[in-house]
């Protein structure tokens, strides 16, 4: 644990305060930084937008991608007021962020009623053991699209 001061983490924490006090969402805020400049800001807006993906990290990543005009955020860092949940970590990896700094741990969040451990646990299980049933369906038809994708010469690699 580090007590080093960071203006970027201060910005993320300020956004978490704004989300909570404004009633827009839970106490979460995040910023994406490139070359010492904030290029994306986000706060939790799940209840106000009726969008379960409107986590602070997700909205900051979306804004940063819009800012740079690309989905690839290599060379960027994420500062977030709390350790990202599995959905947000998925976005971190897909966006190719270089590093994540977080304020509160997932264990601290759980003490305040924000327990994401179930998602970590569920993702570690085989699909047939998860609480939400998952079944393969129409695999032969679905794989044809991947095969066509594989043959494309003008595909965007990612």
């Amino acid at each position: 644990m580090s007590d080093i001061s960071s203006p970027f983490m201060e910005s993320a924490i300020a956004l978490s305060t704004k989300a909570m006090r404004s009633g827009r969402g839970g106490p979460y805020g995040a910023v994406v930084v490139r070359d010492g400049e904030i290029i994306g800001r986000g706060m939790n807006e799940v209840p106000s937008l009726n969008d379960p993906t409107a986590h602070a990290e997700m909205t900051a990543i979306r804004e940063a991608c819009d800012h740079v005009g690309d989905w690839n955020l290599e060379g960027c860092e994420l500062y977030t007021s709390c350790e990202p949940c599995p959905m947000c970590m998925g976005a971190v990896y897909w966006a190719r962020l270089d590093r994540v700094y977080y304020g509160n741990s997932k264990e601290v969040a759980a003490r305040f009623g924000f327990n994401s451990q179930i998602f970590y646990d569920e993702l570690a299980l085989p699909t047939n053991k998860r609480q939400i049933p998952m079944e393969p369906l129409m695999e032969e038809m679905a794989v044809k699209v991947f095969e066509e994708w594989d043959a494309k010469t003008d595909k965007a690699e990612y």
Side-chain angles (χ1 to χ4, degrees):
M1 183 173 201
S2 175
D3 286 331
I4 297 171
S5 180
S6 163
F8 303 124
M9 184 59 79
E10 288 175 11
S11 293
I13 294 168
L15 285 164
S16 72
T17 303
K18 182 178 179 180
M20 183 255 314
R21 289 182 181 166
S22 69
R24 290 170 71 178
Y28 295 90
V31 296
V32 175
V33 175
R34 175 178 273 171
D35 298 327
E37 175 191 354
I38 295 175
I39 61 168
R41 290 174 175 79
M43 67 177 81
N44 182 287
E45 298 183 87
V46 170
S48 60
L49 296 178
N50 295 318
D51 179 354
T53 70
H55 288 200
E57 299 90 343
M58 300 292 280
T59 56
I61 289 169
R62 287 178 187 135
E63 187 174 288
C65 289
D66 188 52
H67 176 82
V68 299
D70 197 344
W71 60 268
N72 188 322
L73 295 177
E74 286 180 287
C76 297
E77 299 172 327
L78 176 70
Y79 292 78
T80 180
S81 63
C82 191
E83 184 176 355
C85 73
M87 174 182 68
C88 293
M89 278 308 299
V92 164
Y93 280 99
W94 279 112
R96 311 290 197 266
L97 289 159
D98 288 1
R99 182 180 300 263
V100 175
Y101 296 97
Y102 63 91
N104 294 308
S105 68
K106 65 182 180 180
E107 292 80 13
V108 168
R111 288 196 344 240
F112 293 92
F114 299 101
N115 191 349
S116 59
Q117 189 60 47
I118 185 174
F119 304 118
Y120 291 95
D121 296 344
E122 284 285 304
L123 290 173
L125 294 173
T127 54
N128 65 340
K129 301 283 186 191
R130 294 180 183 165
Q131 290 182 26
I132 296 176
M134 297 183 69
E135 297 178 40
L137 185 64
M138 298 179 68
E139 293 170 277
E140 289 179 25
M141 181 183 277
V143 77
K144 288 182 177 158
V145 181
F146 278 142
E147 290 168 350
E148 185 176 333
W149 167 261
D150 192 47
K152 282 178 62 89
T153 58
D154 64 341
K155 62 186 168 204
E157 296 285 347
Y158 56 98

